[in-house]
Amino acid sequence: MMNYLKWLGTELKSINAAGGVMLAFIIGVQLAFYLSAPITGLSTITLVATLVGSACTVYMMIGKPINGLLGLISAIGFVYINWTAGHYASVLDQLVFVALIDLPLIFTWKTWGHKVENGVKFLTKTGWLLTIAFILIAWYPMMLAYQTLGDTNPLWDSIVLIIGAMASLYVFKGYGDSYTLWLASDAVNILLWVSALFAGYSASSLPMLLTMSFYLATALYGRFWSIWRGNKVGNK
């Protein structure tokens, strides 16, 4: 346990300058939103989940396995937030994220970094065609399924689940292509929470919209400037 706690401390201090600036910015803005609105149980859970989730994405973009613990904590909050908003597909997306990224990172905290230290794998053109084909084919039936379940926004919520689940799978397999999918997932999540904001069915809409925009920024950094864009290996 002591070794794990020491490791956590070392990981937290390993944040780079870009990540530190980004995280400081989102903390300040989220606190401003929180303190300027009525403080409720939901707003408090939203604050904690969005701040920890933002930290998770920052440490993920620089390839630090502490994002597993941070992701698990934030996922618990995001499950509650999405459930209250009626985003049932996003609830499942968070559970997939926990199963494929958070828990493996927590259980393999000593060795997970070896997966990407010598470079990450990338999909071939065929791999990308199959990935895109699966996303497009699955979207419509998934949308119908969640429409039947009473999802408040099955159009965007279903594609969030499909793309997010694929991205989580590629992180689990050690593919740098996951960040291209995170970019797409974050863009769709922004559309989802913009819709929620204008429809007025979730008090968490504004902080979640801000968080998804922040996720998009970290995904851009992760895709083009982090370890995840590194040397191409295992391209088969």
Side-chain angles (χ1 to χ4, degrees):
M1 176 59 73
M2 288 302 298
N3 287 338
Y4 184 69
L5 293 176
K6 289 179 180 178
W7 174 80
L8 287 178
T10 302
E11 285 286 291
L12 289 171
K13 290 186 290 185
S14 68
I15 191 169
N16 62 9
V21 170
M22 295 169 76
L23 195 54
F25 171 78
I26 196 68
I27 289 173
V29 176
Q30 292 287 23
L31 281 173
F33 277 126
Y34 175 71
L35 296 174
S36 63
I39 297 176
T40 64
L42 177 59
S43 70
T44 301
I45 291 173
T46 302
L47 175 68
V48 174
T50 54
L51 291 185
V52 178
S54 297
C56 171
T57 60
V58 166
Y59 281 99
M60 178 184 286
M61 79 180 189
I62 60 176
K64 298 297 180 179
I66 192 178
N67 74 76
L69 178 61
L70 297 174
L72 177 61
I73 296 170
S74 64
I76 294 170
F78 287 147
V79 164
Y80 179 77
I81 293 165
N82 281 295
W83 185 266
T84 60
H87 296 163
Y88 304 131
S90 289
V91 170
L92 182 55
D93 178 43
Q94 288 298 317
L95 296 178
V96 171
F97 189 92
V98 168
L100 292 180
I101 299 179
D102 294 337
L103 292 180
L105 284 170
I106 290 171
F107 291 131
T108 62
W109 60 276
K110 283 186 177 181
T111 60
W112 185 89
H114 299 329
K115 184 183 294 188
V116 297
E117 64 184 4
N118 294 318
V120 292
K121 296 178 288 186
F122 285 86
L123 293 173
T124 60
K125 291 181 180 179
T126 301
W128 267 115
L129 287 174
L130 291 173
T131 298
I132 294 170
F134 174 80
I135 291 171
L136 294 176
I137 291 170
W139 189 1
Y140 185 69
M142 189 76 72
M143 181 183 68
L144 292 181
Y146 277 96
Q147 187 174 40
T148 302
L149 291 172
D151 195 290
T152 52
N153 199 328
L155 175 66
W156 298 120
D157 203 21
S158 57
I159 195 67
V160 165
L161 169 59
I162 297 167
I163 298 176
M166 292 296 293
S168 294
L169 177 62
Y170 286 148
V171 170
F172 179 78
K173 300 294 288 184
Y175 280 88
D177 303 280
S178 60
Y179 265 102
T180 300
L181 291 173
W182 288 132
L183 284 169
S185 175
D186 294 335
V188 178
N189 257 305
I190 288 172
L191 293 173
L192 175 66
W193 287 105
V194 165
S195 299
L197 181 62
F198 282 100
Y201 60 76
S202 174
S204 300
S205 298
L206 191 55
M208 286 298 291
L209 176 57
L210 178 62
T211 300
M212 293 305 118
S213 300
F214 181 79
Y215 280 16
L216 183 64
T218 60
L220 282 168
Y221 182 93
R223 175 64 182 85
F224 296 107
W225 294 286
S226 78
I227 188 174
W228 293 99
R229 70 165 182 88
N231 302 322
K232 296 187 177 184
V233 298
N235 225 6
K236 297 181 179 181

